[in-house]
Amino acid sequence: MQRTFICKEDNIRLDVFLTKHTDFSRSFIKTMNDEGRILINGKKEKAGFILKHGDEIILNEKEVEKIDTTAENIPLDIIYEDDDLLVINKQRGLVVHPCATTKSHTLVNALLYHIKNLSTINGVMRPGIVHRLDKDTGGLMIVAKTDSAHKTLSNQLKDKTLNREYKALIKGRIKEDFIVEGYLGRNPKNREQMALTDENHGKYSKTIFTIDKVFDHYTLLNCKLTTGRTHQIRAHLKSINHPIVGDTLYGGQDKIYTQGQLLFAYKITFIHPKTNKQMQFEIGLPDYFLKVLDKIST
């Protein structure tokens, strides 16, 4: 797949520019460049090449292995449905769409079985998918049935009129509401992680955290996204040394829960793309989450 970028600033390194505008690390970009898959104004340059305003950067990604996305009879918990969209409660442990490591048994496979029409904007591997939840994060998601609904909902994500709120149980006690913001990018020491970085290596992110309940060794938080970056809540809480319980990727290992991070998308608010009316859906915490809260309350 070929991607084209036009530089809109002066005196920025090629590798820095591409880390800013993609999810790739500088080392991975150097590897791509060494393989001749990056061209500047039609020519191969070094990864440290200094770009100028107006330079054209062409990035040739390797072809992704083709995955046959088929319908599978996986149960769906549909909270709301009409001709334009549906709101679902995604189960913990379910990957949202097929990828190189997970080629089947995803939410998309379930949608193809249960829903006749889905938007096509994100292609055959992500039909209907407006936004994602991590595999081990359960809760509310919107799925678009039509392309027009998909475009409207995507615009709401950008202009922040589509709001998502989560519950997270974190390690340690916090007694005051707080905000974490900054540029979020790939952790150069562990590419599976996201981490706060500088402006040249990440995208702006902001999460508003409010206290729900404080326990002896844990805190239950309400988390409101104002941006939607990969692993945003998980990485933000790791950055203040209060990782989510069960989140082994970000240091949240805890014997009290070992089946994934205790993060749940419990509320979503948006403007209906056809009626223009505000819609809000809220659901209670799942049993596995409540059992942990009961245990630490005693």
Side-chain angles (χ1 to χ4, degrees), residues 45-63:
E45 304 285 358
K46 293 182 179 179
F49 179 78
I50 303 300
L51 296 171
K52 296 181 180 179
H53 189 283
D55 281 345
E56 179 188 68
I57 304 97
I58 295 178
L59 187 155
N60 289 290
E61 297 185 46
K62 288 183 177 178
E63 288 294 325

Side-chain angles (χ1 to χ4, degrees), residues 89 133 137-141 164-168 210 212 221-224 263-269 280-286:
N89 175 16
L133 290 176
T137 300
L140 296 175
M141 283 183 61
R164 294 162 289 162
E165 298 183 48
Y166 297 69
K167 298 278 188 181
T210 57
D212 187 310
L221 296 174
N222 296 317
C223 320
K224 184 174 182 180
L263 178 66
F264 187 77
Y266 78 99
K267 184 190 293 187
I268 195 161
T269 306
Q280 180 172 290
F281 297 89
E282 183 173 344
I283 57 175
L285 290 172

Side-chain angles (χ1 to χ4, degrees), residues 81-141:
E81 182 177 5
D82 61 26
D83 292 339
D84 301 285
L85 58 89
L86 59 152
V87 177
I88 64 166
N89 175 16
K90 185 189 85 70
Q91 59 186 275
R92 174 199 58 180
L94 187 66
V95 174
V96 169
H97 57 77
C99 59
T101 56
T102 304
K103 300 180 181 180
S104 60
H105 308 303
T106 72
L107 174 61
V108 163
N109 298 107
L111 289 169
L112 290 171
Y113 183 90
H114 293 282
I115 308 301
K116 183 178 180 180
N117 297 311
L118 292 167
S119 71
T120 62
I121 287 177
N122 279 338
V124 295
M125 288 177 59
R126 303 183 186 185
I129 302 302
V130 178
H131 63 103
R132 299 187 308 124
L133 290 176
D134 293 335
K135 174 184 176 182
D136 289 321
T137 300
L140 296 175
M141 283 183 61

Side-chain angles (χ1 to χ4, degrees), residues 160 179-184 196 203-209 224-229 232-233 236:
K160 301 178 177 60
I179 293 173
V180 177
E181 61 183 323
Y183 292 92
L184 201 62
L196 290 177
K203 298 177 181 179
Y204 177 74
S205 62
K206 180 179 179 181
T207 312
I208 300 170
F209 297 96
K224 184 174 182 180
L225 294 174
T226 63
T227 57
R229 309 305 181 198
Q232 179 172 313
I233 294 173
H236 278 181

Side-chain angles (χ1 to χ4, degrees), residues 184-196:
L184 201 62
R186 292 287 175 186
N187 185 342
K189 297 180 180 179
N190 183 348
R191 270 191 52 80
E192 292 185 356
Q193 292 183 352
M194 304 299 286
L196 290 177

